[in-house]
Amino acid sequence: MKALLLAGGTGSRLRPFTHTGAKQLLPIANRPVLFYALDALAAAGVTETGIVVGDHGPEIRRAAGDGSAFGLRLTYLRQERPLGLAHAVLVARDFLGEDDFLLYLGDNYLPDGVRGFLDRARTAPAAARLLLTRVADPTAFGVAQLDPEDGDRVLGLEEKPERPRSDLALVGVYAFTPAVHDAVRAVTPSARGELELTHAVQWMIDQGLPVRAETTTAPWRDTGNVDDMLEANRHVLDTLVGRIEGKVDACSTVRGRVSIAEGAVVRDSRITGPVIIGAGAVVTGSHIGPYTAVAEGCRVEDSAIAHSVLLPGARVAGAARIEDSLIGRGAVVAPAPALSRAHRLVIGDHSKVHLTS
């Protein structure tokens, strides 16, 4: 079975980070979100994968290469504009041919993978098979309604409904037969101008095609916003294997599961795991952790950082306490001049700043 991995969205909920990079390459524990999806596909026995990409396609191609590092063969498929998930299936028509395939959203984090789901799709095929999970606020998701007498039969789908008929949200993992190609050609753009995959699956239901679902209670994160990125980071760091390959001086203490990459330097600091520190990072006179990922090339001086993610090249100096934060590539966090009584801010579009004084 082939796989179609979608990595062409704009990532509007993660601006300003996605103005300059693909949301699928934002890191969880110093590793791009996309790589966890590629690992999951390979572990499920998939070998041939198409990646639908948009404006950040060259960046994604540089990161993932030909897929051999993951045990996959990757084909890159250009989507000129993000016109919806069903449109991505249209873009991939020639690649998919007449094969059954697994569709996977590239910014999803599923630590338990998709092997079981894919095995059941192979042995009990349906025109479409959906993976669902219960959520507290179904209005933010595509929502499925199941037949109460035939528990895995899908009666209907709604996209971000104001009055949801259930709390079962679409996780972003689907198994399709070639019947989906007629469905994506049949639907028209939604009110937001996109070809919705939920509408295509609803068309299949209306045509009497078998659409089945299964519900998972395993951890899952749609890493489309900062809070979910940080939560996924915490989850991965909980599985971290401690390894110190960089330099830690005698004035520093390291407790718990801590990974310090070769080329990283820790001086006169306290590291409380789980924490990962990337190659070339320098930490001086600081307290890092728990649940913090410091990417390669970062500088942290005289600061305390917890429950946060620093992207490559970020610099933090003189910060008394930073928590629950995502700090961008090459960003600088530093104290204002001593005589200043005002905050001086240079902030990108759609950013958020929380001031305590």
Side-chain angles (χ1 to χ4, degrees):
M1 186 179 287
K2 291 177 180 176
L4 187 64
L5 188 60
L6 305 190
T10 58
S12 59
R13 291 178 295 159
L14 278 167
R15 291 172 180 162
F17 303 100
T18 49
H19 283 309
T20 55
K23 65 177 179 177
Q24 296 83 7
L25 296 182
L26 287 172
I28 295 175
N30 287 359
R31 197 163 181 260
V33 172
L34 183 71
F35 287 11
Y36 295 93
L38 293 171
D39 285 343
L41 294 177
V46 172
T47 55
E48 197 168 352
T49 298
I51 302 185
V52 177
V53 297
D55 291 342
H56 295 297
E59 183 185 2
I60 291 174
R61 186 189 292 265
R62 285 193 298 272
D66 63 2
S68 57
F70 306 91
L72 300 169
R73 293 192 301 273
L74 298 183
T75 299
Y76 292 90
L77 308 165
R78 170 73 175 174
Q79 186 182 29
E80 293 299 329
R81 289 191 295 154
L83 296 176
L85 304 187
H87 182 261
V89 177
L90 285 172
V91 167
R93 182 67 179 91
D94 290 343
F95 166 78
L96 295 169
E98 295 303 313
D99 293 319
D100 294 351
F101 68 97
L102 180 79
L103 187 147
Y104 194 120
L105 302 190
D107 56 354
N108 268 3
Y109 172 65
L110 286 157
D112 288 357
V114 293
R115 175 185 285 275
F117 177 82
L118 194 54
D119 286 345
R120 287 183 286 276
R122 290 181 177 121
T123 57
R129 179 175 289 271
L130 321 176
L131 188 61
L132 310 174
T133 192
R134 297 191 183 277
V135 296
D137 180 14
T139 62
F141 301 93
V143 176
Q145 181 184 10
L146 301 183
D147 186 336
E149 296 182 359
D150 182 357
D152 68 348
R153 177 170 170 257
V154 182
L155 296 178
L157 297 178
E158 300 174 282
E159 184 65 32
K160 297 181 175 65
E162 291 184 8
R163 295 182 177 86
R165 297 175 184 174
S166 82
D167 62 353
L168 293 171
L170 295 162
V171 165
V173 176
Y174 310 78
F176 289 116
T177 68
V180 73
H181 298 302
D182 289 334
V184 297
R185 285 195 299 268
V187 297
T188 57
S190 65
R192 59 179 184 168
E194 295 188 2
L195 296 179
E196 309 286 358
L197 193 59
T198 48
H199 293 178
V201 177
Q202 183 64 53
W203 183 91
M204 298 169 81
I205 295 169
D206 295 341
Q207 298 301 308
L209 297 172
V211 176
R212 299 286 176 177
E214 58 184 81
T215 303
T216 181
T217 58
W220 163 71
R221 283 287 178 273
D222 166 13
T223 59
N225 62 54
V226 171
D227 287 342
D228 282 331
M229 284 287 301
L230 294 175
E231 185 59 34
N233 187 67
R234 292 184 191 102
H235 191 278
V236 174
L237 288 179
D238 266 333
T239 68
L240 184 70
V241 175
R243 180 178 303 161
I244 298 178
E245 297 175 337
K247 296 180 180 179
V248 179
D249 73 2
C251 296
S252 298
T253 59
V254 176
R255 293 191 177 93
R257 297 186 309 279
V258 174
S259 175
I260 301 176
E262 185 176 0
V265 176
V266 176
R267 304 188 191 99
D268 193 24
S269 295
R270 181 157 49 106
I271 314 296
T272 303
V275 164
I276 185 167
I277 299 175
V282 177
V283 177
T284 305
S286 298
H287 180 193
I288 306 295
Y291 294 105
T292 298
V294 178
E296 63 270 18
C298 288
R299 297 289 186 271
V300 181
E301 305 163 12
D302 303 321
S303 299
I305 304 174
H307 300 276
S308 295
V309 173
L310 277 63
L311 273 61
R315 178 173 177 261
V316 178
R321 184 71 175 176
I322 291 176
E323 294 182 352
D324 301 319
S325 298
L326 181 59
I327 299 175
R329 303 173 186 87
V332 176
V333 178
L339 297 179
S340 175
R341 293 188 177 182
H343 300 287
R344 182 177 185 271
L345 308 174
V346 179
I347 303 171
D349 296 346
H350 308 288
S351 296
K352 293 181 181 179
V353 173
H354 299 276
L355 304 176
T356 60
S357 62

